[in-house]
């Protein structure tokens, strides 16, 4: 292959890579952190329900964010019981719009200032649950669910998972104390048959900024092109260094 042609192709591919890098730098980066959730065994209303989970908040920009909750019903499957509802709060009223973009079947989300009571733990701003459906539509003992939210509002750049879980419910509460995250269990075939379980919070962890997938794909394609052109150039140099056979006389 003519070296000038190889050089032109390399320059063209490097240009593609340059554009990809600029797109990567200019693209929104998700900045987030996570907190581990576990059962507050000493504050359960009936001493029956248990769960574990991870609460992850990620701000795209000041007006857009995502929230991902991964919850597991850790009750003994031999005993049974269904996780049917959980509530938490809107930190500083930053959230003006909330969409549940992915969740187990039958779960729905709602947003309203102090609109959702879960006595004796007060009133909450955000509720996720199966509504008035049969408890068996919830998460059975041993099952896990992933709940993904798209958030609209303002001030997200200054928020974190900790901000959410520092925002407590408001009265009225009936001696249970004010909490920031509570889970409801139903259809437990023993005792009172249901339970309300506050969360304990583990160590939070920061998550590095994550580039948009499209920018990463573009950069990867550009780098792959550079590698392909470089291999072709090396092959051309090797071929040009082989002496041509001289015809016999």
């Amino acid at each position: 292959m003519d070296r000038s042609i190889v050089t032109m192709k390399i320059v063209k591919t490097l240009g593609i890579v340059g554009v990809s890098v600029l797109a990567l730098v200019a693209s929104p980066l998700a900045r987030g952190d996570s907190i581990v959730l576990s059962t507050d065994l000493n504050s359960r209303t009936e001493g029956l329900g248990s769960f574990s989970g991870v609460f992850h908040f990620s701000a795209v920009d000041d007006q857009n964010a995502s929230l991902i909750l991964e919850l597991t019903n850790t009750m003994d499957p031999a005993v049974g019981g269904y996780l049917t509802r959980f509530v938490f709060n809107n930190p500083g009223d930053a959230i003006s719009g909330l969409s549940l973009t992915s969740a187990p079947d039958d779960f729905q989300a709602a947003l309203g200032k102090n609109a959702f009571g879960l006595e004796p733990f007060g009133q909450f701003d955000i509720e996720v649950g199966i509504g008035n459906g049969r408890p068996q539509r919830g998460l059975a003992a041993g099952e896990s669910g992933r709940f993904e939210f798209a958030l609209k509002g303002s001030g997200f750049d200054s928020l974190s998972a900790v901000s959410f879980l520092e925002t407590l419910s408001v009265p009225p509460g009936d001696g249970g104390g004010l909490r920031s995250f509570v889970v409801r269990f139903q259809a437990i075939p023993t005792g009172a048959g249901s339970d309300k379980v506050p969360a304990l919070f583990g160590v939070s962890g920061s998550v590095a900024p994550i580039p948009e997938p499209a920018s990463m794909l573009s950069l990867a394609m550009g780098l792959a092109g550079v590698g392909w052109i470089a291999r072709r150039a090396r092959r051309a140099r090797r071929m040009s260094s082989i002496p041509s056979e001289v015809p016999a006389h």
Side-chain angles (χ1 to χ4, degrees):
M1 180 183 293
D2 188 282
R3 290 189 179 183
S4 63
I5 296 176
V6 172
T7 301
M8 290 177 62
K9 289 189 175 182
I10 292 176
V11 170
K12 182 178 180 181
T13 306
L14 287 174
I16 294 172
V17 174
V19 171
S20 301
V21 171
L22 288 175
L24 180 62
V25 172
S27 66
L29 299 179
R31 303 169 300 283
D33 66 335
S34 301
I35 290 183
V36 175
L37 307 178
S38 61
T39 302
D40 185 345
L41 297 173
N42 296 323
S43 299
R44 299 177 292 181
T45 56
E46 303 297 334
L48 298 171
S50 65
F51 72 96
S52 63
V54 178
F55 188 104
H56 175 76
F57 172 79
S58 183
V60 176
D61 55 41
D62 197 57
Q63 298 179 339
N64 297 276
S66 67
L67 182 66
I68 298 175
L69 271 164
E70 298 181 6
L71 293 177
T72 299
N73 181 346
T74 57
M75 294 187 67
D76 184 350
V79 174
Y82 295 84
L83 190 163
T84 58
R85 183 186 180 201
F86 59 90
V87 290
F88 55 104
N89 289 297
N90 182 355
D93 295 328
I95 303 170
S96 58
L98 176 149
S99 299
L100 184 60
T101 57
S102 178
D105 292 342
D106 299 310
F107 278 88
Q108 298 179 343
L111 171 68
K113 188 172 180 62
N114 304 325
F116 310 105
L118 200 58
E119 300 298 341
F121 301 111
Q123 303 292 120
F124 297 80
D125 303 323
I126 299 170
E127 176 188 62
V128 181
I130 60 171
N132 296 321
R134 296 171 59 247
Q136 289 76 11
R137 294 179 178 177
L139 297 179
E143 288 186 347
S144 298
R146 180 182 173 95
F147 303 82
E148 300 182 11
F149 305 82
L151 309 180
K152 299 286 187 181
S154 62
F156 290 144
D157 276 342
S158 61
L159 292 182
S160 66
V162 174
S163 301
F164 273 91
L165 300 179
E166 286 179 342
T167 307
L168 299 179
S169 55
V170 300
D174 187 20
L178 303 180
R179 297 287 183 147
S180 56
F181 191 95
V182 182
V183 175
R184 176 77 185 276
F185 291 85
Q186 293 178 280
I188 303 174
T190 185
S194 66
D195 205 354
K196 299 167 186 175
V197 184
L200 291 176
F201 310 127
V203 178
S204 64
S206 297
V207 178
I210 304 170
E212 292 293 312
S215 297
M216 290 298 294
L217 178 60
S218 179
L219 179 60
M221 291 176 64
L223 292 175
V226 170
W228 181 81
I229 292 295
R231 288 193 298 272
R232 291 292 301 272
R234 287 196 299 270
R235 181 182 177 188
R237 285 195 297 270
R238 286 197 303 269
M239 293 297 293
S240 63
S241 64
I242 299 175
S244 300
E245 292 186 4
V246 178
H249 295 287

